[in-house]
Amino acid sequence: MSRKLFIKTFGCQMNEYDSSRMADLLKDTHGFVATDDPNEADMVMLNTCSVRDKAQHKVYSQLGRWSSLKAANPTLIIAVGGCVASQEGEQILKRVPQVDIVFGPQTLHRLPEMLDQCIDQKKPKVDISFPEIEKFDCLPSARVEGPKAYVSIMEGCSKYCSFCVVPYTRGTEFSRPFDDVITEVVELAEQGVREVTLLGQNVNGYRGMLHDGGVMEFSKLLYYVASVDGIDRVRYTTSHPIEVTDDLVTAHSAIPELVAHLHLPVQSGSDRILKNMKRGYTSSEYAGWIDKFKGVYPNLSVSSDFIVGFPGETEEDFRETMNLIDYVRYDQSFSFIYSQRPGTPAAELEDNVDMQEKKNRLMTLQNRINEFAAEYSENMVGTSQRLLVEGHARKSPHQLTGRTENNRVVNFDGPSSLIGRFIDVMITEALPNSLRGRLDPANIRHAN
Ligand code: SAM
Ligand code: F3S
């Protein structure tokens, strides 16, 4: 009987991606199959993130719960990976001796070897290093979700924003060689993938090695990815404002596979706060880039990350953030209350904005962006939108579901034969979290 693996993931898309990569790896090397139930698992693994919240606390309480599973099943293997593992290292074994394996985001490829050593030597294993030489070979391969796939093109971050732990926990930026990226996209297209999302902390900082020793920049990479046969939609996330170039804007006007949607994290609209965050741009420089993208797509949908309550953020600073929001008319946000991260430069600053005030600012910001989002959705009613049909609708399985360029879910009646294809659908109704659409039967002929 095959052994079972339970993985619990905290955090972002990058972490979800790493988790699926680990599951694939342990399936190949040890025949582990995934389970949703930790009680029946032979190995439980926690993939952690320490960007926000009381990450350490969450990790230790989860490990406490798993320690009792080990009391009932002494051969259970407990592994901890990701950013918290990278920060805590040996400390985890001291606090929770039941843990068997501790590995960092850059050593996940060594997991099978660590598992063997741990079983053979009956000793816990810790490896949270950043092995330079192996880096290029070990970037996770694609995660496929029906006709869509995520392709990791770079890892780590070298921007050192004053509030952020990522450069310390995931290491500095490195890009995957160009040939590897393209080979992977071609292989995905051959399996029927129609949309790829290029993933990384700062994808537009991509500088991939070429086999002749040259370097490929992100804007150029986009042309090659989009030209792969079968790939008809290309997205990327996350991009950084200081790495936006005119070449990138031009790529958007020249490449039809790129979508009218941009995720460009700004964090704050106040120049004083942006400076203290060490973001490297001003609010008006940021708005200038958005204007250029809007020049390419008049209906551009923009999303962003925001932090409210950064140390010293005054009402005036927050007002400037709201002014920028009104100017850009964001369609979506990933917005957070500032959370002090040990070891970051901002942790030296007094975390002096009152918690209730932080919550109020977050609510004000989110409410405003939700209003813009509702307006966008309303404006889509009566328009024809191109969808990539992903499968059956979650709530009503007799319907199909797809996504628009600006990432909205549209549910509509249609034949299953459309799954995995692009189709134009008339939007008939805007709901809070999705849209309804109607398929013109004449259109089915044009699905591709
Ligand atoms: N590369 C992206 C960029 O250009 O900014 C950000 C990646 S970061 C892992 C994801 C988001 O987490 C950030 O954009 C920021 O909004 C949020 N974040 C990071 N550190 C944080 C902290 N200490 N407190 C609150 N939010 C934080
Ligand atoms: Fe973090 Fe700034 Fe990099 S938010 S991931 S240090 S761009």
Side-chain angles (χ1 to χ4, degrees):
M1 213 178 63
S2 39
R3 288 184 286 177
K4 295 204 167 86
L5 169 68
F6 174 81
I7 305 187
K8 186 165 179 70
T9 309
F10 292 148
C12 64
Q13 249 176 343
M14 297 295 282
N15 259 28
E16 290 287 346
Y17 191 85
D18 285 352
S19 292
S20 63
R21 166 75 173 147
M22 291 177 216
D24 290 349
L25 192 64
L26 289 175
K27 186 166 178 227
D28 285 356
T29 59
H30 289 73
F32 273 102
V33 292
T35 173
D36 293 337
D37 180 5
N39 294 301
E40 62 162 34
D42 301 283
M43 178 168 180
V44 287
M45 190 149 72
L46 190 55
N47 187 14
T48 62
C49 168
S50 55
V51 167
R52 285 176 295 276
D53 298 327
K54 310 220 174 320
Q56 271 78 357
H57 177 75
K58 265 165 65 184
V59 168
Y60 284 115
S61 50
Q62 181 65 57
L63 291 177
R65 287 195 288 278
W66 283 354
S67 301
S68 51
L69 286 183
K70 193 154 182 164
N73 172 12
T75 59
L76 178 72
I77 301 279
I78 304 182
V80 188
C83 296
V84 175
S86 151
Q87 280 181 323
E88 296 280 286
E90 298 270 351
Q91 188 62 26
I92 294 186
L93 295 182
K94 292 209 182 93
R95 284 185 58 176
V96 192
Q98 289 86 349
V99 168
D100 299 284
I101 298 175
V102 179
F103 61 101
Q106 305 305 351
T107 45
L108 63 91
H109 59 294
R110 292 184 181 167
L111 200 50
E113 188 188 321
M114 291 173 80
L115 178 61
D116 287 341
Q117 287 172 352
C118 168
I119 294 171
D120 291 350
Q121 300 165 6
K122 299 192 171 47
K123 269 204 332 224
K125 284 272 140 203
V126 178
D127 186 350
I128 50 167
S129 56
F130 294 146
E132 292 284 334
I133 305 161
E134 294 165 32
K135 271 181 174 178
F136 289 123
D137 298 328
C138 68
L139 269 181
S141 52
R143 189 177 92 214
V144 183
E145 284 175 7
K148 300 194 303 185
Y150 294 84
V151 175
S152 178
I153 64 163
M154 63 185 303
E155 250 289 358
C157 184
S158 308
K159 300 288 184 277
Y160 294 94
C161 301
S162 66
F163 52 82
C164 184
V165 288
V166 170
Y168 311 100
T169 58
R170 299 189 83 105
T172 47
E173 262 164 36
F174 63 98
S175 301
R176 199 166 173 199
F178 169 72
D179 287 355
D180 290 9
V181 173
I182 289 297
T183 307
E184 188 161 297
V185 175
V186 170
E187 284 169 6
L188 289 167
E190 283 168 359
Q191 291 167 46
V193 166
R194 306 296 307 276
E195 171 182 316
V196 287
T197 303
L198 306 177
L199 267 191
Q201 295 294 351
N202 294 299
V203 282
N204 53 339
Y206 176 84
R207 284 172 188 86
M209 237 171 17
L210 294 168
H211 53 261
D212 64 2
V215 172
M216 167 75 66
E217 294 197 347
F218 182 64
S219 53
K220 303 258 169 358
L221 173 72
L222 290 173
Y223 289 88
Y224 285 94
V225 171
S227 67
V228 170
D229 261 359
I231 300 299
D232 282 326
R233 208 182 248 180
V234 178
R235 302 180 189 273
Y236 55 85
T237 193
T238 303
S239 48
H240 194 295
I242 57 167
E243 302 270 14
V244 176
T245 58
D246 282 321
D247 284 346
L248 181 60
V249 180
T250 307
H252 275 265
S253 60
I255 303 175
E257 287 83 357
L258 285 172
V259 293
H261 177 258
L262 183 69
H263 181 68
L264 196 59
V266 67
Q267 315 298 355
S268 167
S270 151
D271 289 346
R272 202 176 65 84
I273 296 293
L274 286 171
K275 187 153 179 266
N276 292 345
M277 288 177 162
K278 297 214 164 38
R279 290 291 291 179
Y281 52 84
T282 62
S283 174
S284 60
E285 281 163 352
Y286 176 92
W289 285 120
I290 298 290
D291 289 345
K292 287 196 177 185
F293 282 107
K294 285 195 172 169
V296 178
Y297 310 105
N299 61 342
L300 180 74
S301 138
V302 188
S303 58
S304 180
D305 296 355
F306 295 90
I307 295 178
V308 298
F310 185 80
E313 185 189 70
T314 60
E315 282 204 22
E316 178 53 27
D317 292 315
F318 180 64
R319 218 177 352 257
E320 287 171 11
T321 300
M322 293 303 292
N323 289 345
L324 180 72
I325 290 172
D326 287 345
Y327 182 76
V328 175
R329 301 176 77 82
Y330 287 99
D331 187 20
Q332 199 192 2
S333 82
F334 299 88
S335 38
F336 315 103
I337 286 178
Y338 168 73
S339 146
Q340 198 174 56
R341 303 284 77 200
T344 59
E348 306 289 313
L349 306 171
E350 193 193 345
D351 188 2
N352 57 357
V353 182
D354 172 69
M355 185 43 101
Q356 191 51 48
E357 183 56 33
K358 286 179 181 170
K359 288 184 179 162
N360 292 346
R361 288 181 191 172
L362 185 68
M363 209 162 66
T364 308
L365 181 153
Q366 290 179 338
N367 286 346
R368 182 73 58 86
I369 293 178
N370 287 343
E371 280 166 26
F372 287 133
E375 212 176 291
Y376 266 90
S377 294
E378 279 302 330
N379 288 339
M380 289 170 78
V381 174
T383 65
S384 170
Q385 297 285 332
R386 190 158 188 251
L387 305 186
L388 173 57
V389 186
E390 293 177 5
H392 292 281
R394 210 159 32 95
K395 287 194 188 141
S396 42
H398 61 280
Q399 285 198 312
L400 296 180
T401 189
R403 273 182 195 261
T404 59
E405 282 202 9
N406 60 7
N407 235 339
R408 277 172 171 68
V409 170
V410 182
N411 296 321
F412 62 101
D413 291 325
S416 304
S417 57
L418 290 179
I419 295 173
R421 297 162 75 185
F422 284 94
I423 184 90
D424 293 328
V425 163
M426 180 60 71
I427 305 302
T428 54
E429 194 182 347
L431 303 170
N433 298 311
S434 64
L435 303 172
R436 287 217 176 99
R438 190 182 55 240
L439 183 65
D440 177 354
N443 253 342
I444 297 181
R445 274 185 301 121
H446 302 298
N448 65 43

mmCIF file of all heavy atoms in Angstrom, residues 51 156-168 170 173 201-202 238-241 265 267 277-279 305 307, ligand 2:
data_model
loop_
_atom_site.group_PDB
_atom_site.id
_atom_site.type_symbol
_atom_site.label_atom_id
_atom_site.label_comp_id
_atom_site.label_asym_id
_atom_site.label_seq_id
_atom_site.Cartn_x
_atom_site.Cartn_y
_atom_site.Cartn_z
ATOM 1 N N VAL A 51 5.793 36.084 6.122
ATOM 2 C CA VAL A 51 5.675 37.459 5.654
ATOM 3 C C VAL A 51 4.834 38.305 6.616
ATOM 4 O O VAL A 51 5.140 39.448 6.894
ATOM 5 C CB VAL A 51 5.093 37.502 4.224
ATOM 6 C CG1 VAL A 51 4.669 38.906 3.831
ATOM 7 C CG2 VAL A 51 6.126 37.017 3.233
ATOM 8 N N GLY A 156 13.493 34.080 -4.962
ATOM 9 C CA GLY A 156 14.173 35.004 -4.065
ATOM 10 C C GLY A 156 13.874 36.456 -4.376
ATOM 11 O O GLY A 156 13.089 36.778 -5.277
ATOM 12 N N CYS A 157 14.499 37.347 -3.611
ATOM 13 C CA CYS A 157 14.303 38.780 -3.823
ATOM 14 C C CYS A 157 15.522 39.524 -3.307
ATOM 15 O O CYS A 157 16.038 39.204 -2.244
ATOM 16 C CB CYS A 157 13.048 39.250 -3.098
ATOM 17 S SG CYS A 157 12.713 40.989 -3.421
ATOM 18 N N SER A 158 15.953 40.535 -4.068
ATOM 19 C CA SER A 158 17.106 41.338 -3.628
ATOM 20 C C SER A 158 16.721 42.795 -3.426
ATOM 21 O O SER A 158 17.565 43.675 -3.488
ATOM 22 C CB SER A 158 18.221 41.292 -4.683
ATOM 23 O OG SER A 158 18.517 39.980 -5.020
ATOM 24 N N LYS A 159 15.419 43.055 -3.225
ATOM 25 C CA LYS A 159 14.998 44.451 -3.125
ATOM 26 C C LYS A 159 15.113 44.978 -1.688
ATOM 27 O O LYS A 159 15.184 46.176 -1.488
ATOM 28 C CB LYS A 159 13.551 44.617 -3.619
ATOM 29 C CG LYS A 159 13.347 44.201 -5.064
ATOM 30 C CD LYS A 159 13.970 45.194 -6.025
ATOM 31 C CE LYS A 159 13.687 44.841 -7.462
ATOM 32 N NZ LYS A 159 14.592 43.848 -8.033
ATOM 33 N N TYR A 160 15.061 44.116 -0.735
ATOM 34 C CA TYR A 160 15.222 44.505 0.674
ATOM 35 C C TYR A 160 14.326 45.666 1.098
ATOM 36 O O TYR A 160 14.796 46.650 1.672
ATOM 37 C CB TYR A 160 16.698 44.835 0.989
ATOM 38 C CG TYR A 160 17.588 43.615 0.890
ATOM 39 C CD1 TYR A 160 18.265 43.319 -0.286
ATOM 40 C CD2 TYR A 160 17.704 42.728 1.965
ATOM 41 C CE1 TYR A 160 19.062 42.179 -0.392
ATOM 42 C CE2 TYR A 160 18.498 41.595 1.867
ATOM 43 C CZ TYR A 160 19.169 41.333 0.697
ATOM 44 O OH TYR A 160 19.944 40.212 0.601
ATOM 45 N N CYS A 161 13.042 45.591 0.809
ATOM 46 C CA CYS A 161 12.107 46.569 1.359
ATOM 47 C C CYS A 161 12.248 46.491 2.881
ATOM 48 O O CYS A 161 12.424 45.393 3.423
ATOM 49 C CB CYS A 161 10.677 46.231 0.959
ATOM 50 S SG CYS A 161 10.464 46.181 -0.811
ATOM 51 N N SER A 162 12.141 47.637 3.549
ATOM 52 C CA SER A 162 12.546 47.647 4.959
ATOM 53 C C SER A 162 11.653 46.788 5.855
ATOM 54 O O SER A 162 12.051 46.427 6.946
ATOM 55 C CB SER A 162 12.563 49.087 5.467
ATOM 56 O OG SER A 162 11.257 49.609 5.468
ATOM 57 N N PHE A 163 10.456 46.453 5.384
ATOM 58 C CA PHE A 163 9.505 45.717 6.236
ATOM 59 C C PHE A 163 9.517 44.207 5.990
ATOM 60 O O PHE A 163 8.836 43.460 6.693
ATOM 61 C CB PHE A 163 8.073 46.231 5.974
ATOM 62 C CG PHE A 163 7.710 46.240 4.511
ATOM 63 C CD1 PHE A 163 7.285 45.085 3.878
ATOM 64 C CD2 PHE A 163 7.806 47.404 3.760
ATOM 65 C CE1 PHE A 163 6.972 45.078 2.530
ATOM 66 C CE2 PHE A 163 7.494 47.419 2.406
ATOM 67 C CZ PHE A 163 7.085 46.243 1.789
ATOM 68 N N CYS A 164 10.250 43.742 4.987
ATOM 69 C CA CYS A 164 9.983 42.405 4.447
ATOM 70 C C CYS A 164 11.079 41.378 4.758
ATOM 71 O O CYS A 164 12.273 41.670 4.644
ATOM 72 C CB CYS A 164 9.804 42.534 2.934
ATOM 73 S SG CYS A 164 9.363 40.992 2.137
ATOM 74 N N VAL A 165 10.654 40.165 5.096
ATOM 75 C CA VAL A 165 11.622 39.108 5.446
ATOM 76 C C VAL A 165 12.070 38.274 4.243
ATOM 77 O O VAL A 165 13.019 37.494 4.363
ATOM 78 C CB VAL A 165 11.028 38.095 6.464
ATOM 79 C CG1 VAL A 165 10.892 38.706 7.836
ATOM 80 C CG2 VAL A 165 9.731 37.500 5.982
ATOM 81 N N VAL A 166 11.374 38.423 3.118
ATOM 82 C CA VAL A 166 11.615 37.491 2.013
ATOM 83 C C VAL A 166 13.098 37.383 1.588
ATOM 84 O O VAL A 166 13.613 36.283 1.427
ATOM 85 C CB VAL A 166 10.689 37.812 0.810
ATOM 86 C CG1 VAL A 166 11.079 37.037 -0.437
ATOM 87 C CG2 VAL A 166 9.247 37.484 1.173
ATOM 88 N N PRO A 167 13.822 38.510 1.433
ATOM 89 C CA PRO A 167 15.220 38.354 1.005
ATOM 90 C C PRO A 167 16.047 37.529 1.995
ATOM 91 O O PRO A 167 17.003 36.870 1.595
ATOM 92 C CB PRO A 167 15.735 39.799 0.952
ATOM 93 C CG PRO A 167 14.506 40.619 0.750
ATOM 94 C CD PRO A 167 13.435 39.918 1.523
ATOM 95 N N TYR A 168 15.653 37.574 3.268
ATOM 96 C CA TYR A 168 16.415 36.816 4.278
ATOM 97 C C TYR A 168 15.996 35.347 4.303
ATOM 98 O O TYR A 168 16.798 34.475 4.583
ATOM 99 C CB TYR A 168 16.222 37.426 5.675
ATOM 100 C CG TYR A 168 16.435 38.926 5.682
ATOM 101 C CD1 TYR A 168 15.347 39.802 5.668
ATOM 102 C CD2 TYR A 168 17.721 39.465 5.654
ATOM 103 C CE1 TYR A 168 15.538 41.174 5.637
ATOM 104 C CE2 TYR A 168 17.913 40.842 5.618
ATOM 105 C CZ TYR A 168 16.818 41.687 5.608
ATOM 106 O OH TYR A 168 17.010 43.040 5.569
ATOM 107 N N ARG A 170 14.151 33.608 1.746
ATOM 108 C CA ARG A 170 14.167 32.895 0.461
ATOM 109 C C ARG A 170 15.437 33.153 -0.331
ATOM 110 O O ARG A 170 15.596 32.635 -1.432
ATOM 111 C CB ARG A 170 12.946 33.272 -0.393
ATOM 112 C CG ARG A 170 11.623 32.922 0.238
ATOM 113 C CD ARG A 170 10.473 33.100 -0.729
ATOM 114 N NE ARG A 170 10.325 31.954 -1.588
ATOM 115 C CZ ARG A 170 9.378 31.018 -1.483
ATOM 116 N NH1 ARG A 170 8.467 31.124 -0.549
ATOM 117 N NH2 ARG A 170 9.327 30.000 -2.293
ATOM 118 N N GLU A 173 17.676 37.263 -5.369
ATOM 119 C CA GLU A 173 17.045 36.966 -6.656
ATOM 120 C C GLU A 173 17.911 36.091 -7.547
ATOM 121 O O GLU A 173 19.110 36.354 -7.680
ATOM 122 C CB GLU A 173 16.867 38.293 -7.417
ATOM 123 C CG GLU A 173 15.504 38.874 -7.294
ATOM 124 C CD GLU A 173 15.439 40.340 -7.707
ATOM 125 O OE1 GLU A 173 16.144 40.759 -8.650
ATOM 126 O OE2 GLU A 173 14.671 41.053 -7.077
ATOM 127 N N GLN A 201 8.929 36.613 -7.262
ATOM 128 C CA GLN A 201 8.693 37.767 -6.371
ATOM 129 C C GLN A 201 8.738 39.078 -7.156
ATOM 130 O O GLN A 201 8.038 40.026 -6.825
ATOM 131 C CB GLN A 201 9.736 37.836 -5.253
ATOM 132 C CG GLN A 201 9.697 36.682 -4.275
ATOM 133 C CD GLN A 201 8.421 36.641 -3.461
ATOM 134 O OE1 GLN A 201 7.602 37.564 -3.492
ATOM 135 N NE2 GLN A 201 8.244 35.569 -2.729
ATOM 136 N N ASN A 202 9.611 39.146 -8.166
ATOM 137 C CA ASN A 202 9.750 40.354 -8.995
ATOM 138 C C ASN A 202 10.013 39.913 -10.414
ATOM 139 O O ASN A 202 11.125 40.047 -10.912
ATOM 140 C CB ASN A 202 10.968 41.166 -8.563
ATOM 141 C CG ASN A 202 10.784 41.720 -7.193
ATOM 142 O OD1 ASN A 202 9.861 42.493 -6.944
ATOM 143 N ND2 ASN A 202 11.653 41.315 -6.301
ATOM 144 N N THR A 238 4.670 38.380 -9.316
ATOM 145 C CA THR A 238 4.409 39.772 -9.055
ATOM 146 C C THR A 238 5.450 40.620 -9.775
ATOM 147 O O THR A 238 6.591 40.182 -9.905
ATOM 148 C CB THR A 238 4.549 40.033 -7.540
ATOM 149 O OG1 THR A 238 3.665 39.195 -6.832
ATOM 150 C CG2 THR A 238 4.232 41.446 -7.200
ATOM 151 N N SER A 239 5.074 41.808 -10.168
ATOM 152 C CA SER A 239 6.082 42.674 -10.764
ATOM 153 C C SER A 239 6.357 43.824 -9.794
ATOM 154 O O SER A 239 5.536 44.138 -8.939
ATOM 155 C CB SER A 239 5.609 43.189 -12.114
ATOM 156 O OG SER A 239 4.307 43.668 -12.009
ATOM 157 N N HIS A 240 7.532 44.419 -9.948
ATOM 158 C CA HIS A 240 7.932 45.505 -9.034
ATOM 159 C C HIS A 240 8.006 46.822 -9.812
ATOM 160 O O HIS A 240 8.578 46.871 -10.901
ATOM 161 C CB HIS A 240 9.297 45.180 -8.427
ATOM 162 C CG HIS A 240 9.628 46.050 -7.255
ATOM 163 N ND1 HIS A 240 9.818 47.403 -7.362
ATOM 164 C CD2 HIS A 240 9.767 45.760 -5.944
ATOM 165 C CE1 HIS A 240 10.077 47.910 -6.167
ATOM 166 N NE2 HIS A 240 10.046 46.921 -5.283
ATOM 167 N N PRO A 241 7.447 47.892 -9.232
ATOM 168 C CA PRO A 241 7.444 49.176 -9.958
ATOM 169 C C PRO A 241 8.832 49.640 -10.401
ATOM 170 O O PRO A 241 8.946 50.248 -11.471
ATOM 171 C CB PRO A 241 6.832 50.151 -8.949
ATOM 172 C CG PRO A 241 6.014 49.293 -8.039
ATOM 173 C CD PRO A 241 6.705 47.970 -7.961
ATOM 174 N N PRO A 265 2.366 46.012 -7.192
ATOM 175 C CA PRO A 265 2.264 46.410 -5.783
ATOM 176 C C PRO A 265 2.844 47.800 -5.531
ATOM 177 O O PRO A 265 3.960 48.082 -5.950
ATOM 178 C CB PRO A 265 3.096 45.357 -5.040
ATOM 179 C CG PRO A 265 3.144 44.185 -5.948
ATOM 180 C CD PRO A 265 3.151 44.776 -7.338
ATOM 181 N N GLN A 267 2.144 49.481 -2.226
ATOM 182 C CA GLN A 267 2.291 49.480 -0.751
ATOM 183 C C GLN A 267 1.745 50.746 -0.090
ATOM 184 O O GLN A 267 1.037 50.664 0.898
ATOM 185 C CB GLN A 267 3.737 49.250 -0.272
ATOM 186 C CG GLN A 267 4.492 48.133 -0.961
ATOM 187 C CD GLN A 267 3.897 46.743 -0.781
ATOM 188 O OE1 GLN A 267 2.945 46.551 -0.054
ATOM 189 N NE2 GLN A 267 4.446 45.760 -1.476
ATOM 190 N N MET A 277 9.990 52.800 3.503
ATOM 191 C CA MET A 277 9.849 51.372 3.155
ATOM 192 C C MET A 277 10.975 50.914 2.229
ATOM 193 O O MET A 277 11.075 49.751 1.909
ATOM 194 C CB MET A 277 8.513 51.143 2.419
ATOM 195 C CG MET A 277 7.290 51.229 3.277
ATOM 196 S SD MET A 277 5.841 51.007 2.195
ATOM 197 C CE MET A 277 4.590 50.597 3.403
ATOM 198 N N LYS A 278 11.766 51.885 1.738
ATOM 199 C CA LYS A 278 12.847 51.614 0.760
ATOM 200 C C LYS A 278 12.286 50.971 -0.513
ATOM 201 O O LYS A 278 12.794 49.965 -1.009
ATOM 202 C CB LYS A 278 13.921 50.696 1.356
ATOM 203 C CG LYS A 278 14.633 51.280 2.533
ATOM 204 C CD LYS A 278 16.082 50.836 2.571
ATOM 205 C CE LYS A 278 16.947 51.672 3.479
ATOM 206 N NZ LYS A 278 16.312 52.103 4.722
ATOM 207 N N ARG A 279 11.211 51.563 -1.036
ATOM 208 C CA ARG A 279 10.612 50.993 -2.245
ATOM 209 C C ARG A 279 11.284 51.511 -3.512
ATOM 210 O O ARG A 279 11.165 50.915 -4.570
ATOM 211 C CB ARG A 279 9.112 51.307 -2.285
ATOM 212 C CG ARG A 279 8.297 50.574 -1.256
ATOM 213 C CD ARG A 279 8.219 49.089 -1.553
ATOM 214 N NE ARG A 279 7.425 48.800 -2.731
ATOM 215 C CZ ARG A 279 7.219 47.573 -3.198
ATOM 216 N NH1 ARG A 279 7.744 46.525 -2.593
ATOM 217 N NH2 ARG A 279 6.491 47.373 -4.276
ATOM 218 N N ASP A 305 -0.668 45.422 -3.976
ATOM 219 C CA ASP A 305 -0.528 45.117 -2.549
ATOM 220 C C ASP A 305 -0.403 46.445 -1.802
ATOM 221 O O ASP A 305 0.269 47.370 -2.298
ATOM 222 C CB ASP A 305 0.763 44.328 -2.276
ATOM 223 C CG ASP A 305 0.787 42.957 -2.928
ATOM 224 O OD1 ASP A 305 -0.224 42.555 -3.514
ATOM 225 O OD2 ASP A 305 1.843 42.291 -2.829
ATOM 226 N N ILE A 307 0.163 48.132 2.306
ATOM 227 C CA ILE A 307 0.371 47.948 3.749
ATOM 228 C C ILE A 307 -0.162 49.193 4.438
ATOM 229 O O ILE A 307 0.214 50.311 4.056
ATOM 230 C CB ILE A 307 1.873 47.776 4.081
ATOM 231 C CG1 ILE A 307 2.404 46.479 3.459
ATOM 232 C CG2 ILE A 307 2.100 47.794 5.583
ATOM 233 C CD1 ILE A 307 3.881 46.233 3.696
HETATM 234 FE FE1 F3S B 2 9.552 41.707 -0.064
HETATM 235 FE FE2 F3S B 2 9.995 43.991 -1.249
HETATM 236 FE FE3 F3S B 2 10.992 41.770 -2.217
HETATM 237 S S1 F3S B 2 8.067 43.302 -0.431
HETATM 238 S S2 F3S B 2 9.573 40.194 -1.650
HETATM 239 S S3 F3S B 2 11.547 42.703 -0.304
HETATM 240 S S4 F3S B 2 10.131 43.472 -3.368
#
